Each structure stands twice: as structure tokens, then as C-alpha cells.
Amino acid sequence: MIRLDNITLTFKDGDTRITAVDHVSLTAHPGTVTGITGPSGSGKSSLLAVAATLITPDSGQVLIDDFDATTLNPAEASDLRRDKIGIVFQQPNLIPSLTALEQLEVMNELGARHSRSKRAEVSARAAELIDAVGLSEHGDKRPHQLSGGQRQRVNIARALMNDPSLLLVDEPTSALDQERGASIIDLILHLTDELNTSTLLVTHDLVHLPRMHAVVHMVDGRLTEQPAVVPA
Ligand code: ADP
Ligand code: MG
């Protein structure tokens, strides 16, 4: 579970400060997807970065499985991310020279040396996730051999390698057409259910919102009470 409690985040802007997130509170439970929408510049990515423990807010608490992440130093926050948080950014950022399976396996190489049995476990987990995102036929392909939608699937699978309790996804469909975008949203809904993650999903695409368990709208850093009208 994640609970953001009265989060405010400002950035320095010349002599003044911009309030990117303004007293925001939000709770997301395991097995649910909370959609976050709002105009460009309204603070959606900033809020995700706070939830991801990548930025410490000016004030407020970030409770991840009842533990306040804002009290952690950078090294501790990095450990917490490795244990509990999966992050999917807008652009896949895959490594060009690695196959889809290797993109996942390399996650567990970072920071630790592993025994042969651990390696086998990592390979098995990577294969399972590549299968779960519908790419079992494509595990040996490199990014340039995959479509945009397929690369985004690898990106999502990679974020799940650490079996996170919290999944944070920022505009995963922005580079995709409507149909491929919809199937990425389907995948995130399905994986959230299957893996019981507490998922925050930023999207500007209002079409997908009715399918989520909860939806919040951001305007000027604040959560607005009334959902925006979804065009028919
Ligand atoms: P969104 O994701 O909704 O488009 P952002 O969270 O990226 O919005 O941005 C919210 C506000 O914070 C904007 O005014 C943006 O310019 C500002 N902002 C975001 N990141 C930074 C940063 N690293 N430094 C300064 N200002 C930033
Ligand atoms: Mg953004």
C-alpha cells in the first residue's frame, strides 16, 4: 500500500519557487490501479517522483507499506526502491545491445554478485515476466527489432523483476496509437491484479479512466474534487 499524506513539493525557479505538488493526499491499495490525470505541467510526474522516493518532498509523508520513506537517506531510499518499487517511465530506455530477456536479467546484476542458482532463478523470473507481457516469442530480440508497443511491454516487465508492492507508471501510452495504448493499459490492469501491486498510473488519455479503480485529477499541483468530464 502507498499513502501520500499532505505532500508539498516546490522547485526553485530563479528568485521564487514553483509549487509542483500542493498539499496532496492519496492512498492506493494492493490490487488496484489509481489513474492520475491532469493537464501538462500540473504536477503528475512530480507526484510520481515523490511516490518513487526519487525526490524528497518539502513536507508531508510518503508511507510505503506503513513505513515513512521521507525519513530515509539516499542510500536507504535506493534500497527501498530495489525491494518494493517498480517504475515505468514514459520512454522505455532499453539498452540497445541487450535482448528483451537480458534487459530484465541485468536488473539483478546491479549492485550484487550472484551464485549460479540465483542466476538460474533470475533467468526463470525474466522468462516468466516476458511471457506475462505477451512477448514469449520475442525474448531474444533487441530493442530495434521490437515495435514501440513491444518495447513498452519489456519496460513494464523489467519494472516487475523485483516483485514490487508498488508500481508507478508515467504516461506509458504517450508514444503509441490508440489501440496499442489500450492494450498497454489492459496489461497494467491485468498485472496489477495478478501481482497485487498498488499501482499509480499517470495518463493524459481520458478514454482509459473508466476502467481504473480510482481516478484523481491534478490541476496546478492540487487534486481537484470533481473528476473532469470524460468526452463520450
Ligand atoms: P506533469 O507531469 O503534470 O506535466 P510536472 O510534474 O512535470 O507536471 O511539472 C510540474 C511543475 O513543476 C511544472 O511547472 C514544471 O515546470 C515544474 N518542474 C518539474 N520538474 C522540475 C524540476 N526538476 N525543476 C524545476 N521545475 C520543475
Ligand atoms: Mg509528466
Side-chain angles (χ1 to χ4, degrees), residues 62-83:
V62 179
L63 294 156
I64 295 174
D65 297 339
D66 289 324
F67 183 83
D68 183 6
T70 60
T71 62
L72 300 176
N73 68 36
E76 291 166 337
S78 152
D79 285 347
L80 177 77
R81 282 195 296 279
R82 204 175 50 213
D83 286 347

Side-chain angles (χ1 to χ4, degrees), residues 3-63:
R3 189 152 71 87
L4 301 172
D5 190 14
N6 209 15
I7 298 292
T8 293
L9 173 69
T10 65
F11 291 111
K12 192 168 159 29
D13 179 39
D15 292 339
T16 60
R17 298 190 77 83
I18 295 177
T19 303
V21 179
D22 194 357
H23 297 91
V24 167
S25 297
L26 179 64
T27 301
H29 295 283
T32 69
V33 177
T34 298
I36 302 174
T37 188
S40 176
S42 59
K44 306 179 297 296
S45 294
S46 299
L47 187 66
L48 273 203
V50 169
T53 77
L54 291 166
I55 304 180
T56 304
D58 300 40
S59 60
Q61 287 189 322
V62 179
L63 294 156

Side-chain angles (χ1 to χ4, degrees), residues 44-45 90 170-171:
K44 306 179 297 296
S45 294
Q90 204 161 335
D170 197 352
E171 307 220 28

Side-chain angles (χ1 to χ4, degrees), residues 48 88-92 148-149 152-153 155-156 168-176 180-181 184-185 188 200-204 208 212:
L48 273 203
V88 177
F89 292 111
Q90 204 161 335
Q91 294 300 329
Q152 192 56 283
R153 284 168 188 271
N155 195 22
I156 291 165
L168 304 171
V169 190
D170 197 352
E171 307 220 28
T173 64
S174 58
L176 304 176
R180 278 171 233 274
I184 290 291
I185 301 294
I188 291 165
L200 299 182
L201 171 55
V202 170
T203 180
H204 61 279
H208 304 306
M212 298 179 192

